[in-house]
């Protein structure tokens, strides 16, 4: 259970965090815009693009949760990832990233970072040998996402951390699907953990947010470069909403995980479901790694079904409890169909061998299922109706 500890020392003695709306703060006369770049954000607030008391409180709580020294909150998960990339990478550098991950990241690499003359290799992170082979003299960072959107392929963080450390490159782990309740990447050797706070950590489907957690000096540099200059600040109101969500993160995650386990078992038995992938099922191709690396199995399931387009339409038109929608980690169950051809052409741009591997998990297409906090029996009843004639 998270102990909200960073506001209890305020003179007001409040036991819940306040929303600080002030954009600027009184400062001593010797402060200049330049010296503000190196301000101790805990000793002196200056302007809310640098730091804000409510957002700062969230950052400290998230750092504590992940066992990191410090954290920096962003306006979205994509802002966190791209802010980190722009800070760590310069023209001529090389990045190793997953062939399968949150599609926005791959789209950013293909469409934007490539224009800044940053090279990247997209590899299957579940094969550590492939990652080691992709290293070059100019490799600066390895970016990993586990479990990976949308097929729930896992990456052995400790193993990749060894490869990264030996080569002297930074390891970044997007742990959005796992949350710190399941996995603590920093304790396994990662240098940075990234979350889309929009998902499980925010947990209510009512705010976007992102965070990077890491060493104190690294976060200080990130604040100066990615926050002060790129400016994707998390405002104090969403920061306060997410602070509130942290109080229930652990019990929510336990429920998501228990419910997803029940629903995954149901799907695995259903005659119209061709394949069910869930890290908590022994049938997951990396079940042993899941057991080792994830304290709970989280709430995401991927499955293949007979006649998927018709099923997608039926969920969108007829489902009452389950919403046909993107995103994940909400109190309500969400399902979205991801056809292989489209995601390959529009986002991943697989090599021939990577496409073959993706098809082994996803076939022609896969449903991504974010199991909510509803009674899993009711969710299975609805699935029963949607899967019947
Ligand atoms: C959603 C998501 C992101 C992007 O986060 P936003 O808050 O939507 O910008 C990044 N990584 C993963 C794994 C995600 O699921």
């Amino acid at each position: 259970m998270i102990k909200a500890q960073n506001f209890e020392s305020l003179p007001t003695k409040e036991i819940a965090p306040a929303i600080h709306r002030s954009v600027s703060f009184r400062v001593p006369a010797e402060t200049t815009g330049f010296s503000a770049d190196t301000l101790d954000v805990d000793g002196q607030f200056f302007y809310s693009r640098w730091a804000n008391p409510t957002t700062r409180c969230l950052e400290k709580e998230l750092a504590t949760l992940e066992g990191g020294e410090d954290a920096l909150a962003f306006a979205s998960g994509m802002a966190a990832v791209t802010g980190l990339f722009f800070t760590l990478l310069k023209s001529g550098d090389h990045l190793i990233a997953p062939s399968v991950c949150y599609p926005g990241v791959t789209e950013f690499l293909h469409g934007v970072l490539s224009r800044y003359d940053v090279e990247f290799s997209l590899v299957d992170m579940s094969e550590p040998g492939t990652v080691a082979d992709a290293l070059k003299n100019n490799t600066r960072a390895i970016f990993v996402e586990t479990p990976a959107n949308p097929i729930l392929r896992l990456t052995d963080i400790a193993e990749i951390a060894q490869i990264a450390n030996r080569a002297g490159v930074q390891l970044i782990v997007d742990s959005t699907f796992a949350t710190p309740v399941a996995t603590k990447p920093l304790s396994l050797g990662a240098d940075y953990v990234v979350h889309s706070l929009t998902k499980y950590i925010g947990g209510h489907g009512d705010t976007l947010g992102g965070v990077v957690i890491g060493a104190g000096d690294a976060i200080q540099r990130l604040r100066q470069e990615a926050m002060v200059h790129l400016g994707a600040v998390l405002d104090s109101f969403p920061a306060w909403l997410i602070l509130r969500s942290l109080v229930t993160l652990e019990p929510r995650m336990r429920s998501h995980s228990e419910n997803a386990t029940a629903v995954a078992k149901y799907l695995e038995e259903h005659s119209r479901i061709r394949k069910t992938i869930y890290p908590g099922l022994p049938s997951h191709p990396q079940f042993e790694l899941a057991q080792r690396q994830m304290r709970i199995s989280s709430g995401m399931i991927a499955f293949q079904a007979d006649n998927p387009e018709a099923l997608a339409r039926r969920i969108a038109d007829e489902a009452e409890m389950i919403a046909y929608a993107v995103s994940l980690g909400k109190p309500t169950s969400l399902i979205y169909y991801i056809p292989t051809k489209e995601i390959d052409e529009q986002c991943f741009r697989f090599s021939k061998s990577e496409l073959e591997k993706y098809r082994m998990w996803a076939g022609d297409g896969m449903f991504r299922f974010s199991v909510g906090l509803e009674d899993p029996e009711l969710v299975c009843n609805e699935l029963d109706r949607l899967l019947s004639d």
Side-chain angles (χ1 to χ4, degrees):
M1 163 79 181
I2 173 98
K3 185 175 171 296
Q5 55 199 339
N6 289 303
F7 39 81
E8 286 178 347
S9 59
L10 292 176
T12 50
K13 303 285 180 209
E14 56 215 31
I15 53 160
I19 308 178
H20 294 276
R21 297 300 308 159
S22 191
V23 164
S24 61
F25 302 85
R26 290 173 198 266
V27 292
E30 54 273 18
T31 314
T32 69
F34 305 114
S35 64
D37 275 358
T38 54
L39 273 184
D40 167 12
V41 288
D42 297 319
Q44 174 72 69
F45 290 101
F46 172 69
Y47 183 58
S48 281
R49 181 152 40 81
W50 272 246
N52 167 283
T54 306
T55 309
R56 188 69 194 125
C57 182
L58 172 66
E59 289 168 349
K60 288 185 171 181
E61 296 290 347
L62 289 168
T64 305
L65 262 180
E66 283 287 5
E69 281 177 12
D70 205 352
L72 180 61
F74 291 78
S76 70
M78 277 307 290
V81 173
T82 57
L84 186 56
F85 284 172
F86 274 125
T87 303
L88 290 181
L89 302 168
K90 61 180 186 317
S91 158
D93 284 347
H94 174 246
L95 169 74
I96 303 176
S99 52
V100 178
C101 66
Y102 181 74
V105 173
T106 338
E107 287 168 23
F108 174 76
L109 298 179
H110 285 299
V112 180
L113 213 55
S114 57
R115 277 196 278 126
Y116 292 83
D117 196 25
V118 173
E119 277 185 278
F120 56 90
S121 304
L122 302 179
V123 305
D124 178 354
M125 292 286 173
S126 69
E127 294 173 358
T130 315
V131 180
D133 289 346
L135 284 166
K136 298 182 181 194
N137 289 335
N138 57 342
T139 305
R140 206 56 72 219
I142 301 175
F143 178 79
V144 156
E145 181 183 307
T146 182
N149 184 67
I151 57 173
L152 305 175
R153 189 158 75 184
L154 307 181
T155 296
D156 188 330
I157 298 169
E159 199 153 4
I160 304 295
Q162 274 189 8
I163 295 170
N165 290 345
R166 236 181 281 132
V169 313
Q170 301 281 289
L171 176 61
I172 307 162
V173 176
D174 184 335
S175 194
T176 299
F177 276 36
T179 81
V181 179
T183 305
K184 304 240 172 126
L186 296 177
S187 74
L188 298 171
D191 298 291
Y192 295 93
V193 183
V194 176
H195 289 282
S196 167
L197 301 174
T198 315
K199 313 295 168 52
Y200 287 112
I201 293 182
H204 293 75
D206 53 14
T207 180
L208 292 155
V211 70
V212 178
I213 299 149
D217 53 349
I219 296 298
Q220 165 88 347
R221 181 177 164 215
L222 195 63
R223 188 182 300 277
Q224 284 162 21
E225 297 197 11
M227 193 54 63
V228 172
H229 295 134
L230 299 180
V233 177
L234 184 69
D235 184 73
S236 62
F237 181 60
W240 180 81
L241 285 173
I242 299 165
L243 265 170
R244 215 164 180 266
S245 300
L246 286 187
V247 179
T248 55
L249 179 63
E250 174 127 9
R252 277 190 291 111
M253 288 313 295
R254 260 192 258 118
S255 292
H256 278 297
S257 187
E258 280 166 22
N259 295 357
T261 303
V263 173
K265 283 182 181 158
Y266 164 84
L267 288 170
E268 196 164 49
E269 295 295 312
H270 200 286
S271 61
R272 292 196 170 170
I273 301 300
R274 292 186 185 170
K275 185 186 234 175
T276 305
I277 297 178
Y278 178 63
L281 290 182
S283 57
H284 189 288
Q286 297 160 294
F287 182 64
E288 182 274 324
L289 172 59
Q291 294 285 296
R292 186 152 42 84
Q293 189 168 275
M294 299 180 75
R295 197 161 66 88
I296 56 167
S297 307
S298 196
M300 298 302 297
I301 299 171
F303 67 90
Q304 284 178 40
D306 291 344
N307 210 347
E309 278 85 7
L311 179 60
R313 207 167 311 116
R314 200 151 171 203
I315 298 169
D317 292 348
E318 293 176 30
E320 287 166 4
M321 186 180 275
I322 303 166
Y324 188 76
V326 293
S327 201
L328 56 113
K330 310 295 147 70
T332 47
S333 290
L334 308 173
I335 290 189
Y336 198 64
Y337 180 57
I338 301 171
T340 297
K341 186 166 178 286
E342 278 80 354
I343 201 165
D344 175 27
E345 287 171 2
Q346 291 167 21
C347 310
F348 293 145
R349 306 190 200 175
F350 287 127
S351 67
K352 207 161 163 263
S353 62
E354 288 302 318
L355 178 60
E356 255 165 49
K357 267 194 237 164
Y358 185 88
R359 277 188 183 284
M360 284 187 10
W361 291 69
D364 289 336
M366 203 145 227
F367 288 86
R368 183 181 63 195
F369 191 173
S370 170
V371 179
L373 299 172
E374 309 95 337
D375 180 345
E377 215 175 296
L378 298 179
V379 174
C380 292
N381 288 348
E382 174 145 292
L383 288 169
D384 243 359
R385 277 198 305 279
L386 296 164
L387 289 164
S388 66
D389 292 326

XYZ file of all heavy atoms in Angstrom, residues 169-224:
407
model
N 25.568 1.055 -22.256
C 24.439 1.803 -22.819
C 23.288 1.831 -21.806
O 23.203 0.986 -20.926
C 23.962 1.230 -24.187
C 25.127 0.966 -25.107
C 23.149 -0.029 -24.005
N 22.453 2.834 -21.941
C 21.357 3.043 -21.003
C 20.192 2.104 -21.320
O 19.836 1.927 -22.490
C 20.858 4.487 -21.118
C 21.940 5.514 -20.843
C 22.179 5.675 -19.354
O 21.347 6.214 -18.654
N 23.306 5.165 -18.865
N 19.601 1.527 -20.286
C 18.419 0.682 -20.488
C 17.165 1.395 -19.969
O 17.087 1.779 -18.804
C 18.584 -0.669 -19.768
C 17.354 -1.588 -19.840
C 17.004 -1.955 -21.280
C 17.575 -2.859 -19.016
N 16.198 1.545 -20.883
C 14.906 2.168 -20.557
C 13.840 1.077 -20.612
O 13.780 0.329 -21.589
C 14.534 3.242 -21.609
C 15.674 4.252 -21.791
C 13.218 3.926 -21.252
C 15.566 5.049 -23.088
N 12.992 0.986 -19.596
C 11.916 -0.008 -19.617
C 10.560 0.692 -19.517
O 10.299 1.420 -18.550
C 12.057 -1.029 -18.468
C 10.871 -1.987 -18.456
C 13.359 -1.811 -18.603
N 9.712 0.483 -20.517
C 8.318 0.929 -20.446
C 7.550 -0.160 -19.711
O 7.343 -1.259 -20.232
C 7.754 1.149 -21.860
C 6.325 1.705 -21.842
O 5.606 1.491 -20.840
O 5.922 2.332 -22.846
N 7.135 0.148 -18.484
C 6.532 -0.844 -17.600
C 5.037 -0.571 -17.401
O 4.448 -0.995 -16.410
C 7.277 -0.828 -16.258
O 6.968 -1.946 -15.471
N 4.430 0.106 -18.384
C 3.026 0.508 -18.281
C 2.102 -0.677 -18.015
O 1.192 -0.597 -17.186
C 2.594 1.213 -19.588
O 3.396 2.377 -19.760
C 1.127 1.606 -19.565
N 2.306 -1.802 -18.743
C 1.404 -2.953 -18.597
C 1.615 -3.671 -17.267
O 0.704 -4.314 -16.771
C 1.621 -3.968 -19.744
C 0.864 -3.651 -21.005
C 0.676 -2.350 -21.430
C 0.325 -4.680 -21.785
C -0.014 -2.055 -22.599
C -0.377 -4.407 -22.962
C -0.546 -3.097 -23.370
N 2.833 -3.587 -16.719
C 3.133 -4.340 -15.489
C 2.769 -3.542 -14.244
O 2.202 -4.094 -13.296
C 4.611 -4.716 -15.471
N 3.087 -2.256 -14.240
C 2.995 -1.378 -13.053
C 3.988 -1.861 -11.987
O 4.382 -3.039 -11.984
C 1.583 -1.295 -12.418
O 1.360 -2.439 -11.584
C 0.491 -1.111 -13.436
N 4.347 -0.966 -11.061
C 5.283 -1.383 -9.999
C 4.693 -2.447 -9.074
O 5.433 -3.073 -8.321
C 5.567 -0.078 -9.238
C 4.556 0.906 -9.695
C 4.087 0.481 -11.035
N 3.399 -2.684 -9.150
C 2.822 -3.755 -8.328
C 3.336 -5.114 -8.827
O 3.567 -6.027 -8.033
C 1.280 -3.706 -8.354
C 0.679 -4.828 -7.515
C 0.788 -2.344 -7.857
N 3.549 -5.244 -10.144
C 4.017 -6.523 -10.694
C 5.537 -6.590 -10.803
O 6.135 -7.619 -10.504
C 3.396 -6.766 -12.071
N 6.169 -5.519 -11.257
C 7.589 -5.572 -11.634
C 8.278 -4.268 -11.256
O 7.687 -3.188 -11.428
C 7.711 -5.765 -13.164
O 6.958 -6.925 -13.546
C 9.148 -5.981 -13.598
N 9.522 -4.365 -10.781
C 10.303 -3.151 -10.466
C 11.573 -3.155 -11.315
O 12.616 -3.661 -10.896
C 10.657 -3.119 -8.984
C 9.434 -3.220 -8.074
C 9.291 -2.006 -7.180
C 7.972 -2.065 -6.440
N 8.084 -1.943 -5.016
N 11.499 -2.604 -12.532
C 12.625 -2.695 -13.475
C 13.944 -2.137 -12.937
O 15.009 -2.664 -13.273
C 12.127 -1.895 -14.682
C 10.636 -1.977 -14.609
C 10.322 -1.951 -13.140
N 13.901 -1.081 -12.099
C 15.166 -0.506 -11.616
C 15.918 -1.525 -10.765
O 17.145 -1.604 -10.818
C 14.908 0.776 -10.804
C 14.277 1.957 -11.565
C 14.015 3.119 -10.618
C 15.151 2.403 -12.729
N 15.175 -2.326 -10.009
C 15.836 -3.327 -9.157
C 16.418 -4.465 -9.993
O 17.237 -5.244 -9.517
C 14.846 -3.881 -8.130
O 13.931 -4.752 -8.775
N 15.988 -4.564 -11.265
C 16.519 -5.603 -12.166
C 17.649 -5.060 -13.046
O 18.136 -5.756 -13.926
C 15.386 -6.161 -13.037
C 14.247 -6.843 -12.265
C 13.069 -7.163 -13.180
C 14.749 -8.109 -11.584
N 18.012 -3.797 -12.843
C 19.171 -3.255 -13.551
C 18.866 -2.197 -14.601
O 19.780 -1.723 -15.273
N 17.596 -1.805 -14.761
C 17.271 -0.752 -15.729
C 17.746 0.601 -15.206
O 17.855 0.802 -13.990
C 15.770 -0.712 -15.984
N 18.033 1.529 -16.130
C 18.420 2.885 -15.733
C 17.216 3.804 -15.616
O 17.219 4.726 -14.802
C 19.392 3.456 -16.771
C 20.667 2.644 -16.841
O 21.440 2.694 -15.866
O 20.864 1.907 -17.841
N 16.222 3.572 -16.473
C 15.018 4.412 -16.465
C 13.777 3.521 -16.554
O 13.780 2.538 -17.308
C 14.972 5.330 -17.687
C 16.069 6.364 -17.766
C 17.239 6.094 -18.469
C 15.924 7.616 -17.169
C 18.251 7.043 -18.565
C 16.918 8.573 -17.264
C 18.079 8.285 -17.954
O 19.068 9.227 -18.054
N 12.720 3.893 -15.817
C 11.407 3.274 -16.006
C 10.468 4.340 -16.540
O 10.487 5.483 -16.065
C 10.805 2.751 -14.685
C 9.481 2.050 -14.946
C 11.758 1.822 -14.009
N 9.668 3.974 -17.535
C 8.686 4.879 -18.121
C 7.299 4.279 -17.903
O 7.130 3.056 -17.991
C 8.947 5.026 -19.638
C 7.880 5.892 -20.286
C 10.327 5.592 -19.903
N 6.323 5.140 -17.604
C 4.923 4.703 -17.556
C 4.053 5.669 -18.317
O 4.265 6.884 -18.240
C 4.379 4.681 -16.119
C 4.933 3.594 -15.270
N 4.497 2.304 -15.361
C 5.886 3.618 -14.319
C 5.167 1.564 -14.485
N 6.013 2.335 -13.847
N 3.051 5.139 -18.998
C 1.906 5.956 -19.373
C 0.995 5.949 -18.150
O 0.394 4.930 -17.825
C 1.192 5.371 -20.588
O -0.071 6.022 -20.719
N 0.906 7.090 -17.464
C 0.051 7.183 -16.264
C -1.422 7.158 -16.648
O -2.294 7.001 -15.802
C 0.379 8.467 -15.485
C 1.821 8.613 -15.014
C 2.037 9.999 -14.383
C 2.184 7.535 -14.011
N -1.672 7.338 -17.949
C -3.028 7.267 -18.506
C -3.671 5.903 -18.242
O -4.892 5.785 -18.224
C -2.932 7.463 -20.039
O -2.049 8.550 -20.317
C -4.278 7.712 -20.659
N -2.842 4.879 -18.066
C -3.334 3.501 -18.002
C -3.581 3.107 -16.545
O -4.364 3.752 -15.883
C -2.341 2.580 -18.715
C -1.896 3.117 -20.089
C -3.026 3.199 -21.092
C -2.666 3.986 -22.349
N -1.446 3.582 -23.016
N -2.923 2.045 -16.049
C -3.274 1.529 -14.723
C -2.999 2.526 -13.595
O -3.731 2.567 -12.608
C -2.505 0.240 -14.431
C -3.025 -0.928 -15.209
C -2.268 -1.513 -16.214
C -4.293 -1.445 -14.941
C -2.753 -2.585 -16.937
C -4.782 -2.518 -15.657
C -4.008 -3.082 -16.646
O -4.492 -4.142 -17.361
N -1.927 3.295 -13.687
C -1.567 4.137 -12.543
C -2.609 5.238 -12.352
O -3.091 5.452 -11.243
C -0.118 4.661 -12.678
C 0.859 3.462 -12.572
C 0.189 5.691 -11.593
C 2.334 3.812 -12.642
N -2.998 5.919 -13.446
C -4.133 6.858 -13.359
C -5.405 6.076 -13.074
O -6.205 6.431 -12.204
N -5.603 5.014 -13.855
C -6.560 3.969 -13.516
C -8.053 4.255 -13.642
O -8.848 3.369 -13.386
N -8.456 5.453 -14.011
C -9.884 5.754 -14.054
C -10.352 6.247 -15.412
O -11.521 6.625 -15.571
C -10.242 6.785 -12.976
C -10.082 6.245 -11.584
N -8.847 6.065 -11.003
C -10.985 5.813 -10.685
C -9.001 5.549 -9.793
N -10.291 5.381 -9.572
N -9.461 6.283 -16.394
C -9.873 6.693 -17.736
C -10.237 8.160 -17.833
O -10.939 8.550 -18.763
N -9.761 8.981 -16.884
C -10.161 10.386 -16.929
C -8.991 11.363 -17.035
O -9.182 12.567 -16.963
C -11.034 10.733 -15.713
C -10.377 10.336 -14.392
O -9.174 10.039 -14.391
O -11.086 10.318 -13.366
N -7.777 10.867 -17.212
C -6.668 11.793 -17.429
C -5.511 11.115 -18.158
O -5.269 9.922 -17.988
C -6.143 12.383 -16.109
O -5.060 13.273 -16.411
C -5.635 11.322 -15.149
N -4.818 11.904 -18.978
C -3.562 11.465 -19.571
C -2.423 11.803 -18.615
O -2.551 12.695 -17.775
C -3.325 12.204 -20.899
C -4.263 11.872 -22.046
C -4.338 13.049 -23.016
C -3.786 10.639 -22.785
N -1.307 11.131 -18.764
C -0.119 11.454 -17.979
C 1.003 10.501 -18.313
O 0.768 9.430 -18.885
N 2.234 10.892 -17.990
C 3.384 10.019 -18.199
C 4.432 10.311 -17.150
O 4.384 11.349 -16.484
N 5.387 9.396 -16.981
C 6.466 9.630 -16.017
C 7.728 8.908 -16.455
O 7.651 7.858 -17.101
C 6.047 9.184 -14.590
C 5.944 7.662 -14.470
C 7.015 9.721 -13.531
N 8.864 9.494 -16.110
C 10.164 8.825 -16.216
C 10.757 8.802 -14.812
O 10.774 9.832 -14.132
C 11.126 9.567 -17.171
C 12.480 8.851 -17.215
C 10.536 9.675 -18.568
N 11.238 7.629 -14.384
C 11.833 7.477 -13.054
C 13.264 6.990 -13.223
O 13.536 6.121 -14.066
C 11.014 6.457 -12.224
C 9.575 6.959 -12.065
C 11.642 6.237 -10.837
C 8.557 5.865 -11.970
N 14.194 7.553 -12.448
C 15.589 7.136 -12.567
C 16.462 7.793 -11.520
O 15.965 8.273 -10.494
N 17.771 7.868 -11.801
C 18.724 8.455 -10.856
C 18.507 9.968 -10.764
O 18.055 10.610 -11.723
C 20.147 8.154 -11.308
N 18.859 10.542 -9.616
C 18.610 11.959 -9.364
C 19.224 12.881 -10.404
O 18.539 13.774 -10.930
N 20.503 12.672 -10.747
C 21.155 13.588 -11.706
C 20.565 13.427 -13.107
O 20.437 14.398 -13.855
C 22.680 13.390 -11.712
C 23.081 11.935 -11.937
O 22.195 11.045 -11.878
O 24.275 11.666 -12.184
N 20.176 12.196 -13.461
C 19.578 11.954 -14.783
C 18.215 12.649 -14.892
O 17.881 13.219 -15.940
C 19.430 10.451 -15.010
N 17.446 12.603 -13.814
C 16.122 13.248 -13.832
C 16.269 14.770 -13.840
O 15.512 15.489 -14.500
C 15.273 12.762 -12.626
C 15.002 11.253 -12.739
C 13.965 13.550 -12.518
C 14.214 10.809 -13.957
N 17.291 15.276 -13.147
C 17.558 16.723 -13.141
C 17.859 17.203 -14.563
O 17.334 18.208 -15.037
C 18.749 16.988 -12.208
C 19.399 18.356 -12.349
C 18.719 19.388 -11.465
O 17.629 19.148 -10.939
N 19.335 20.546 -11.321
N 18.671 16.423 -15.289
C 19.014 16.790 -16.675
C 17.752 16.732 -17.557
O 17.513 17.596 -18.388
C 20.086 15.828 -17.207
C 20.484 16.169 -18.614
C 21.587 15.293 -19.169
N 21.613 15.451 -20.614
C 21.905 14.485 -21.464
N 22.220 13.282 -21.032
N 21.881 14.722 -22.756
N 16.953 15.695 -17.332
C 15.727 15.538 -18.107
C 14.783 16.721 -17.865
O 14.149 17.224 -18.789
C 15.062 14.220 -17.676
C 13.968 13.640 -18.553
C 14.497 13.283 -19.927
C 13.369 12.388 -17.885
N 14.714 17.166 -16.607
C 13.847 18.302 -16.292
C 14.309 19.540 -17.055
O 13.506 20.262 -17.642
C 13.858 18.567 -14.778
C 12.839 19.610 -14.327
C 12.907 19.871 -12.827
N 12.645 18.678 -12.031
C 11.426 18.211 -11.716
N 10.351 18.855 -12.147
N 11.287 17.127 -10.989
N 15.612 19.770 -17.073
C 16.134 20.970 -17.749
C 15.914 20.901 -19.258
O 15.582 21.890 -19.889
C 17.626 21.133 -17.465
C 17.889 21.652 -16.059
C 19.324 21.392 -15.618
O 20.204 21.193 -16.444
N 19.547 21.396 -14.324
